[in-house]
Amino acid sequence: MQSPDISHVKDYFLALQTSVCEQLSEVDGRIFSSEMNSEEYTRPRILEEGRYLEKAAVLLSHNKGAKLPAAASERNPHLAGKPFEAAAISMIVHPWNPYVPTFHANLRFFVVDQKHWYFGGGFDLTPCYPFPEDVLHWHRTAKSACQPFGKNLYNKLKVWCDEYFFLPHRQESRGVGGIFFDDWTQGGFNRSFSFVKSVGDHILPAYLPILNKRKAMAFGSREEEFMLYRRGRYAEFNLAIDRGTRYGLQSGRKIESVLASMPPRAIWKHNWSPGLNSPEADLYNNYLKPRDWIRELV
Amino acid sequence: MQSPDISHVKDYFLALQTSVCEQLSEVDGRIFSSEMNSEEYTRPRILEEGRYLEKAAVLLSHNKGAKLPAAASERNPHLAGKPFEAAAISMIVHPWNPYVPTFHANLRFFVVDQKHWYFGGGFDLTPCYPFPEDVLHWHRTAKSACQPFGKNLYNKLKVWCDEYFFLPHRQESRGVGGIFFDDWTQGGFNRSFSFVKSVGDHILPAYLPILNKRKAMAFGSREEEFMLYRRGRYAEFNLAIDRGTRYGLQSGRKIESVLASMPPRAIWKHNWSPGLNSPEADLYNNYLKPRDWIRELV
């Protein structure tokens, strides 16, 4: 099998990065920084302390390596240690407002040993004070992204996302999920790439309406403190569990790019648990476990 | 070899916990909570939002398990998966004042398969704005703890500590180190236990004078922000690197006890670096790399 040209994928990721930054800046008012990193081709674009976004990071990377890191090939151990080329885009938004969920998305393309290729990616949502209609919109948009590529595809990738974004040490989901896929070659390169573009094109349509609806809601120190506490979980997931972070640390990427997803602020409180029937308990009881959102929330 | 009685070790750890909590409370004014956890014998004692200590945790645990977790036996892979019994004390202080260093200490005793036993432990210091005389006092006290047990012992355990408390992804030491040891059986049980007691008895003599000297120093938002930023490194170490945390997660211990060492607050800033010749640069340039403190700081 001939290796497909990575440059088309990279071009799409670059266009997506530009578009996501523009649209987020239009909502926020603040512009993304743009650094160029020459040692490898990475292009982190960061927005810090905006009007609505406490931190947003949209990172593009393209790198080659002599040995595929173990974390990138756990599902394909026979590829570990082989020469590879990878292009990826990842993005995360940590908003100021506790009523706006944190969101994360990632798309990636690997070519290993100049012949094996696969895509991976997805997007997931992490609210502190979830609104059922937001979660429904998020998952319906995810389903729309998958629809043209298989009747049951959304259901499959939704379950995959639930499994991936889970904190075993807390026995908690990270948030309300979304879709996740890896080692993706289905239907060959052109069809797989079309699917990845469909996912990419649905990211902001899934998130922006929620951001716009909640960004100006009034909140107090109680809600802010809960948001910071929940960000502690986000830090736990990224540092102790996430395969993407481990891959980044193993592949020797610039550490500030690997950890650009970290929350700008986080707190830990010993033995804290939400009050009975509180809005915080609603998150734990009704949202931090996998559910069939589209069926149950209508 | 007959297995030594774990109860003597546990009695010492319990007495040390009581003593450490009493002495820290005497400095701070605030009393430690005392929870009893019945499922296994753990006794976390926590002080939150004290006068000088933002958070202090002194944890005692005694547990038995059917299978020794991999993280507890990386250096002795033949012991993994065997039945074990463990007693441990660990402690950490996160002070409010950026001029007071964070400190951590740990002592542990394992009996595996009812016949193999070993000790482990040590203590290490993590300042934000270090004073040479504090670092010297810390390391001299560590040396005193080791002195009766071998002429060169401090040097060996100091290097071991430097190697253990290192963040490879940052190419930074966690702090200025101290001493660290593992799989310790030297001289048999009685001598090893005496050594462990010597280390335990030197913990607060190493830390309290520094705490008392710096606890009331004036500081501003710049120093506080730098402290919170450095605590991000602490979170990175604990979650992504520390073997003790991994052991805790693998052994199924109560998660709030495993993560009691987490900083109460932390921040991450993208691509931040200290200004030229600033006090913050002094930390990076002169302290976050292994040095022969006792020789160089006199």
Side-chain angles (χ1 to χ4, degrees):
Chain A
M1 177 171 58
Q2 172 135 31
S3 162
D5 190 353
I6 201 167
S7 68
H8 294 118
V9 179
K10 189 177 147 187
D11 288 348
Y12 171 71
F13 289 169
L14 180 59
L16 182 62
Q17 185 190 39
T18 306
S19 159
V20 165
C21 290
E22 276 173 10
Q23 291 182 71
L24 286 174
S25 284
E26 201 180 303
V27 174
D28 189 83
R30 186 174 280 255
I31 300 298
F32 278 77
S33 73
S34 186
E35 309 151 27
M36 270 301 282
N37 188 333
S38 59
E39 27 169 320
E40 58 184 15
Y41 182 89
T42 58
R43 210 172 135 102
R45 300 195 59 187
I46 311 284
L47 183 163
E48 283 179 296
E49 310 215 340
R51 181 164 174 199
Y52 300 113
L53 310 182
E54 185 172 349
K55 180 178 177 185
V58 187
L59 295 98
L60 190 70
S61 69
H62 176 203
N63 62 309
K64 298 179 189 196
K67 290 180 175 185
L68 187 68
S73 55
E74 276 171 8
R75 297 166 47 89
N76 284 305
H78 62 286
L79 298 180
K82 300 205 164 147
F84 72 101
E85 188 170 0
I89 180 168
S90 68
M91 59 191 86
I92 192 155
V93 169
H94 292 287
W96 290 110
N97 193 313
Y99 293 107
V100 180
T102 292
F103 110 94
H104 160 260
N106 171 273
L107 295 170
R108 51 193 182 274
F109 179 62
F110 279 83
V111 179
V112 183
D113 221 6
Q114 294 189 302
K115 52 183 184 287
H116 306 281
W117 60 266
Y118 54 91
F119 287 97
F123 50 76
D124 71 290
L125 193 72
T126 308
C128 300
Y129 293 98
F131 296 86
E133 61 268 36
D134 294 354
V135 178
L136 186 60
H137 167 78
W138 178 262
H139 276 277
R140 278 183 169 158
T141 313
K143 191 173 181 173
S144 301
C146 301
Q147 204 72 28
F149 298 89
K151 199 173 165 299
N152 209 33
L153 185 56
Y154 159 77
N155 292 322
K156 183 185 157 184
L157 305 191
K158 186 262 179 207
V159 170
W160 203 342
C161 190
D162 289 337
E163 285 165 2
Y164 185 81
F165 291 104
F166 185 75
L167 288 77
H169 61 286
R170 300 281 188 181
Q171 287 292 303
E172 262 175 40
S173 296
R174 168 155 107 167
V176 298
I179 49 173
F180 183 89
F181 58 99
D182 205 357
D183 308 304
W184 200 261
T185 60
Q186 214 168 86
F189 176 78
N190 288 339
R191 184 141 173 104
S192 288
F193 188 23
S194 294
F195 167 60
V196 163
K197 285 190 277 194
S198 179
V199 172
D201 294 346
H202 281 79
I203 292 172
L204 282 197
Y207 188 62
L208 280 191
I210 301 172
L211 171 60
N212 278 317
K213 210 183 220 170
R214 310 297 170 197
K215 69 187 181 191
M217 277 182 70
F219 66 88
S221 58
R222 171 190 173 143
E223 290 78 22
E224 183 173 29
E225 194 173 343
F226 184 58
M227 177 183 74
L228 297 179
Y229 176 77
R230 293 298 311 170
R231 283 192 186 161
R233 297 287 207 277
Y234 219 87
E236 289 174 22
F237 185 87
N238 285 6
L239 292 171
I241 298 169
D242 187 48
R243 199 153 64 89
T245 307
R246 261 185 294 139
Y247 164 73
L249 299 178
Q250 290 172 5
S251 66
R253 280 179 58 205
K254 205 174 157 241
I255 186 63
E256 288 293 336
S257 296
V258 175
L259 296 185
S261 62
M262 292 302 286
R265 296 177 291 159
I267 66 176
W268 279 266
K269 294 194 275 189
H270 182 73
N271 253 354
W272 185 86
S273 60
L276 198 66
N277 297 323
S278 65
E280 293 78 17
D282 180 48
L283 174 71
Y284 287 81
N285 297 335
N286 300 314
Y287 293 91
L288 296 186
K289 43 193 75 165
R291 286 173 58 190
D292 185 349
W293 307 105
I294 293 183
R295 190 189 291 257
E296 295 180 31
L297 292 180
V298 278
Chain B
M1 178 170 58
Q2 172 137 28
S3 160
D5 190 352
I6 201 168
S7 69
H8 294 120
V9 179
K10 189 176 147 188
D11 288 347
Y12 171 71
F13 289 169
L14 180 60
L16 182 62
Q17 184 189 39
T18 305
S19 159
V20 166
C21 290
E22 276 174 11
Q23 290 181 72
L24 287 174
S25 283
E26 199 180 304
V27 174
D28 189 81
R30 186 175 279 255
I31 300 299
F32 279 77
S33 74
S34 185
E35 309 151 27
M36 272 300 281
N37 188 334
S38 58
E39 27 168 321
E40 56 184 15
Y41 182 89
T42 59
R43 213 174 133 101
R45 299 194 62 186
I46 311 285
L47 184 163
E48 283 179 295
E49 310 217 341
R51 181 166 175 193
Y52 300 114
L53 311 182
E54 186 174 349
K55 180 179 177 185
V58 186
L59 295 97
L60 190 71
S61 69
H62 175 204
N63 63 307
K64 298 180 189 194
K67 290 180 175 188
L68 187 68
S73 53
E74 276 171 6
R75 299 166 46 90
N76 284 305
H78 62 287
L79 298 181
K82 298 202 168 153
F84 73 102
E85 188 170 0
I89 181 170
S90 70
M91 59 191 88
I92 192 154
V93 169
H94 292 287
W96 290 109
N97 193 313
Y99 292 107
V100 181
T102 290
F103 110 94
H104 160 260
N106 172 276
L107 296 170
R108 53 194 181 272
F109 179 62
F110 279 83
V111 179
V112 184
D113 221 6
Q114 294 189 300
K115 51 183 184 287
H116 306 281
W117 60 267
Y118 54 92
F119 287 96
F123 50 76
D124 71 292
L125 193 72
T126 309
C128 301
Y129 293 97
F131 296 86
E133 62 268 37
D134 294 352
V135 178
L136 187 59
H137 166 77
W138 179 262
H139 276 277
R140 278 183 169 160
T141 312
K143 190 173 182 173
S144 301
C146 301
Q147 203 72 29
F149 300 88
K151 199 171 166 298
N152 210 32
L153 186 55
Y154 160 78
N155 291 324
K156 182 183 157 186
L157 305 191
K158 186 261 183 210
V159 170
W160 203 341
C161 190
D162 289 337
E163 285 166 0
Y164 185 82
F165 291 102
F166 185 75
L167 287 77
H169 60 286
R170 300 282 187 181
Q171 288 292 305
E172 262 174 41
S173 296
R174 167 155 107 167
V176 297
I179 49 173
F180 183 89
F181 58 99
D182 204 356
D183 307 304
W184 200 261
T185 59
Q186 214 170 85
F189 175 78
N190 288 339
R191 186 145 172 100
S192 287
F193 187 24
S194 293
F195 167 59
V196 164
K197 284 190 278 193
S198 178
V199 172
D201 295 344
H202 280 78
I203 292 172
L204 282 196
Y207 187 60
L208 279 190
I210 301 172
L211 171 60
N212 277 318
K213 211 184 221 170
R214 310 298 171 197
K215 68 186 181 192
M217 277 182 69
F219 66 90
S221 59
R222 169 188 174 144
E223 290 79 19
E224 182 173 28
E225 195 175 343
F226 183 57
M227 177 182 75
L228 297 180
Y229 177 77
R230 293 299 311 169
R231 283 191 187 164
R233 297 287 208 276
Y234 218 88
E236 288 175 23
F237 185 86
N238 284 5
L239 291 172
I241 298 168
D242 187 49
R243 199 154 63 90
T245 307
R246 261 186 294 139
Y247 163 71
L249 299 180
Q250 290 172 6
S251 65
R253 278 179 59 206
K254 208 175 155 241
I255 186 62
E256 289 293 336
S257 297
V258 174
L259 296 184
S261 62
M262 293 301 288
R265 295 177 291 160
I267 65 176
W268 279 266
K269 293 194 273 188
H270 184 71
N271 254 353
W272 185 86
S273 61
L276 200 67
N277 297 325
S278 64
E280 293 79 17
D282 180 48
L283 174 71
Y284 287 80
N285 297 336
N286 300 315
Y287 292 91
L288 295 186
K289 41 192 75 163
R291 286 174 58 189
D292 185 349
W293 307 106
I294 292 182
R295 189 189 293 259
E296 293 179 32
L297 291 181
V298 276

